[in-house]
Amino acid sequence: MNDDLSRYAVRVHAVGGPEVLTWAQEPAPLPGPGEVQLRQTAIGLNFIDVYLRGGLYPTPLPFVPGQEGAGVVTRLGPGVEGLKVGTRVAYAGVLGAYATTRTLPAERLVPLPDGLSELTAAAVMLKGMTAEYLARRAHQVRPGETVVVHAAAGGVGQLLCQWARHLGATVVGVVGSEEKARVASGCGAEHVVVLPRQSLVDEVRRLTRGRGADVVYDSVGRSTLDASLDALRPRGLLVSFGQSSGLPAPVSLAALGGARSLFVTRPSLHAYIHSREELEASAAALFDVLALGVVRVTEPTRFPLADVAQAHRALEARQTTGAVVLVP
């Protein structure tokens, strides 16, 4: 197979479970103006892929899932500057990653620094830039704050715990098993709450002497939202950025008021790396903490791209910790 002219890709023709992920050989798209063709060597798997596949986020059909990957530039479209054939690059937030070869706008690609492998980049770009905007922009974590991180043993959770700890916060990780508690502790969580054995609200109140957390980062959604709000201090912030347990129930504005006067935000990575300048700044901040070693990436769980349905099942069953990478 000529990698420039033909590719293997995973497509979704109808929303549903992992079984709707179909594998096929097809012509490889050639780059248009401002685009490059990328031979992918590693592809990140994220919960947003599950949401799109299942129809939670409506997407025109058919589509190629996947939002994150890394590889080598193989062709340049007209007008592309700053990249050349052979440049190692990575990206996040651009639909269409589940393929051996793809095209995408050059402005959404970030050249990889020496010493950062394509496998690590695919494991960390989307999750790492998510951790960056969560800890530095959706809320600016400050020394002495108490920060609660749900799914602390997950891909974003591990990075966010380390980043918040680096910024001087006391990190409370929330997990679903003792095994994941050990992972969270190794990633900067000074305290770990294991659900449902422990009460998040009771533990946070105990740890903060009744005050509550300054910020709660909740990527779980429906099953944790009420406890996340109750664990906050007055004028605390809930950052709801995912829904692995289902969409959160509507929140009454009146319930946020009174003596609590809580804040809630529902951010997305796209909104925080929308411009080229924001993308470059976020990626640079991520590369800096990786180079310094203050944020470390555990060895990702690998699946062959052809076994993507199995990878989705493992992710949804919460059988994985850290990042999952699909290898073409």
Side-chain angles (χ1 to χ4, degrees):
M1 182 179 72
N2 186 321
D3 286 340
D4 288 344
L5 301 177
S6 179
R7 72 174 186 174
Y8 288 99
V10 176
R11 288 190 175 272
V12 171
H13 293 271
V15 297
E19 69 280 357
V20 304
L21 297 164
T22 60
W23 173 258
Q25 185 175 4
E26 61 187 33
L30 297 177
E35 294 182 333
V36 304
Q37 186 185 70
L38 181 65
R39 176 176 56 81
Q40 302 202 108
T41 53
I43 299 160
L45 173 61
N46 297 280
F47 248 103
I48 191 172
D49 304 349
V50 174
Y51 303 153
L52 291 170
R53 186 211 73 215
L56 182 63
Y57 296 162
T59 306
L61 297 167
F63 67 91
V64 176
Q67 302 261 342
E68 174 184 40
V72 179
V73 174
T74 53
R75 288 176 183 261
L76 302 177
V80 172
E81 298 179 354
L83 294 173
K84 61 183 180 180
V85 172
T87 301
R88 298 187 316 120
V89 295
Y91 65 90
V94 187
L95 187 64
Y98 288 7
T100 55
T101 299
R102 70 169 302 188
T103 61
L104 67 173
E107 66 176 9
R108 304 315 296 172
L109 291 170
V110 177
L112 294 180
D114 295 339
L116 182 62
S117 72
E118 292 146 41
L119 183 73
T120 299
V124 80
M125 284 297 290
L126 190 147
K127 302 171 187 68
M129 290 195 295
T130 297
E132 182 276 324
Y133 88 74
L134 290 173
R136 297 171 76 238
R137 293 185 285 156
H139 171 77
Q140 187 176 351
V141 173
R142 294 177 174 85
E145 289 189 329
T146 298
V147 170
V148 174
V149 179
H150 282 276
V156 173
Q158 289 189 28
L159 301 174
L160 182 56
C161 285
Q162 294 176 77
W163 211 318
R165 180 74 175 270
H166 169 62
L167 293 172
T170 297
V171 180
V172 180
V174 186
V175 298
S177 70
E178 296 294 343
E179 179 184 358
K180 291 186 176 182
R182 289 188 287 271
V183 173
S185 294
C187 291
E190 296 176 70
H191 309 281
V192 182
V193 178
V194 182
L195 301 178
R197 181 172 62 81
Q198 295 172 288
S199 162
L200 172 62
V201 176
D202 290 348
E203 287 300 302
V204 170
R205 295 292 174 190
R206 181 181 65 81
L207 293 169
T208 60
R209 298 181 180 180
R211 178 174 179 269
D214 295 278
V215 58
V216 174
Y217 294 103
D218 191 338
S219 62
V220 178
R222 182 180 297 276
S223 65
T224 56
L225 183 70
D226 289 342
S228 294
L229 289 169
D230 290 342
L232 286 168
R233 65 164 172 82
R235 292 180 289 174
L237 173 66
L238 170 65
V239 183
S240 173
F241 69 101
Q243 57 272 328
S244 60
S245 70
L247 276 173
V251 176
S252 166
L253 291 178
L256 302 176
R260 298 200 299 176
S261 295
L262 301 177
F263 295 87
V264 176
T265 184
R266 179 71 171 177
S268 70
L269 176 62
H270 175 76
Y272 279 84
I273 59 169
H274 182 70
S275 70
R276 178 68 190 178
E277 292 75 20
E278 288 177 319
L279 171 62
E280 290 179 343
S282 184
L286 173 61
F287 295 158
D288 283 347
V289 294
L290 292 173
L292 290 171
V294 297
V295 172
R296 300 177 183 272
V297 183
T298 58
E299 183 69 18
T301 302
R302 306 185 199 186
F303 287 87
L305 179 58
D307 293 341
V308 62
Q310 180 184 349
H312 271 234
R313 292 186 184 98
L315 184 68
E316 289 183 271
R318 302 189 183 185
Q319 296 171 350
T320 65
T321 58
V324 180
V325 171
L326 306 171
V327 181

